Amino acid sequence: MNCCTSMLRYRERGSSLLVTLLLLLMLSTMVVATVRDVSFHEQMASSQDLHSLAHHAAETGAYDVLRSIEDSPVCDLSSLSGHFQDPVTVEDSGSNGYLLGYRIDADATHCATPRNLEATIIGTTHGGLDLSAPASSEVHLRVLYDFDSSLVTDPIFGNGLTSNGSITVNGGNVHLDGNVWASSFFSSGGNIRNSFLSGTMTVGSGGVVGPFSELTSDSWSGEAMPGVVEMTDTVADIPHVDSETLSRLEQQADSGGGRSCDVNLEGDQGGRVFYCSTGEMRVSGDFSNATLVSAGSINMRGGTSLGSDGAVNTVIIAGGGITMNGSTDSAGVFWSNDGFRQNGRGALKGSIVTEGDIRLPGNFRFEQIEDIQNPNLPKAESSEDTSVTITEWRPVFDD
């Protein structure tokens, strides 16, 4: 009996030990799972914090971009060009804290028009003890903004052919799709049936010689020839290519295109400025989106093109005169102190603005374009304060 009782007690003790071991194993498993779950949630919270800080850095960069255009006459991000490659530090709280920064994505940042900015700012955060594991976030901006009139290009540069001297077409007919202003006189050959004027021709005391002399406001005008001729006793308010303008553009050339009196360009020049300080600037190639400036004269061979959106983005500025040679069509604003001459047969789009005379070949074709997207022309005068109104700003958060 005692023997059986002892064996039963041993069996009970063995069972209790087994149950205890099983309970300890289950408890250990639960503790490990709980620790792992807490660690996972801590990592998630830390990651969310890092991404939140990265987004804060990206938004800081976005505000810097907005501030850069507040007092700019056009969408100009040149002051931020250094931020396209090298990250900008927003906050550094030490080796055991957070390092916040942002970088502007050059490939996804551009000014679609002078009033439309699209930008991508990438914010990054290195956090805690592991500074080698960054988090990142992006802010995508699309900004539409309206400028005060004092920040808009002087409208005279979009008003066709403007001369404070005379305009002469040397033989043949002429096709003028736009306005014409000649403070002295306008003269052309050809006949009324094969010539065309779509806008208003304003002339001084010298009047009009040639077929357009019939187009006075008191005489014939119709669908076949919608233009009219008006007389004036005033000169056009043409800005002078002065030393201040030349100095400003010379400084821009030093940080962009460069100084040269022999310029050969091809393709989109990205808004660069090229400057010739002495003598004649000689220009060749087929290009767009550039500003060419000479303190003297400019001689052009080749052609210039409109932007992909059909706007004028090339400007030719001369302290002397401008001469166009060759038969290639050109598009731009041609602004000079001492006249404009075209020797070739190429058509021209944009505008000519000069204090001197304009000389054109027979069968010359011109199309006025008012949409000018180049920041280097004089702005319209205004007594109002300059301001920018942001009409849309859409941050796009990470998923």
Side-chain angles (χ1 to χ4, degrees), residues 116-198:
N116 186 323
L117 164 68
E118 295 183 3
T120 297
I121 298 90
I122 302 171
T124 59
T125 301
H126 298 256
L129 295 175
D130 187 7
L131 294 179
S132 64
S136 65
S137 181
E138 294 185 4
V139 170
H140 302 266
L141 295 178
R142 185 169 182 270
V143 185
L144 305 176
Y145 46 97
D146 295 321
F147 288 112
D148 178 83
S149 61
S150 63
L151 295 175
V152 176
T153 298
D154 190 323
I156 198 169
F157 293 102
N159 198 39
L161 306 180
T162 305
S163 166
N164 270 338
S166 61
I167 300 178
T168 302
V169 181
N170 296 314
N173 302 298
V174 62
H175 185 103
L176 303 175
D177 187 3
N179 298 318
V180 178
W181 181 298
S183 296
S184 180
F185 66 86
F186 181 94
S187 173
S188 69
N191 58 68
I192 192 68
R193 291 186 177 182
N194 296 316
S195 296
F196 179 79
L197 172 69
S198 68

Side-chain angles (χ1 to χ4, degrees), residues 299-302 324-330 342-347 361:
N299 190 313
M300 295 195 63
R301 296 182 180 274
M324 300 285 293
N325 295 295
S327 58
T328 305
D329 296 348
S330 292
Q342 176 149 332
N343 295 323
R345 297 288 182 177

Side-chain angles (χ1 to χ4, degrees), residues 234-308:
T234 63
V235 296
D237 187 14
I238 296 176
H240 187 70
V241 182
D242 55 20
S243 58
E244 181 179 348
T245 298
L246 293 173
S247 177
R248 172 175 58 85
L249 294 172
E250 184 178 16
Q251 293 177 13
Q252 288 185 233
D254 288 339
S255 60
R259 297 170 180 249
S260 177
C261 291
D262 287 287
V263 181
N264 186 298
L265 305 175
E266 295 293 337
D268 190 322
Q269 295 299 307
R272 294 190 296 169
V273 178
F274 300 86
Y275 188 88
C276 174
S277 59
T278 58
E280 179 184 70
M281 173 184 269
R282 294 164 294 279
V283 183
S284 59
D286 188 356
F287 60 94
S288 65
N289 198 13
T291 300
L292 279 70
V293 188
S294 175
S297 59
I298 296 180
N299 190 313
M300 295 195 63
R301 296 182 180 274
T304 56
S305 307
L306 296 172
S308 59

Side-chain angles (χ1 to χ4, degrees), residues 320-370:
I322 298 174
T323 301
M324 300 285 293
N325 295 295
S327 58
T328 305
D329 296 348
S330 292
V333 173
F334 302 87
W335 174 31
S336 73
N337 287 342
D338 195 22
F340 177 96
R341 175 182 290 272
Q342 176 149 332
N343 295 323
R345 297 288 182 177
L348 191 147
K349 297 180 180 181
S351 64
I352 301 173
V353 180
T354 178
E355 296 180 73
D357 300 327
I358 296 177
R359 297 289 180 265
L360 305 171
N363 299 311
F364 176 72
R365 299 183 68 84
F366 170 77
E367 179 184 347
Q368 173 181 321
I369 296 180
E370 299 178 13

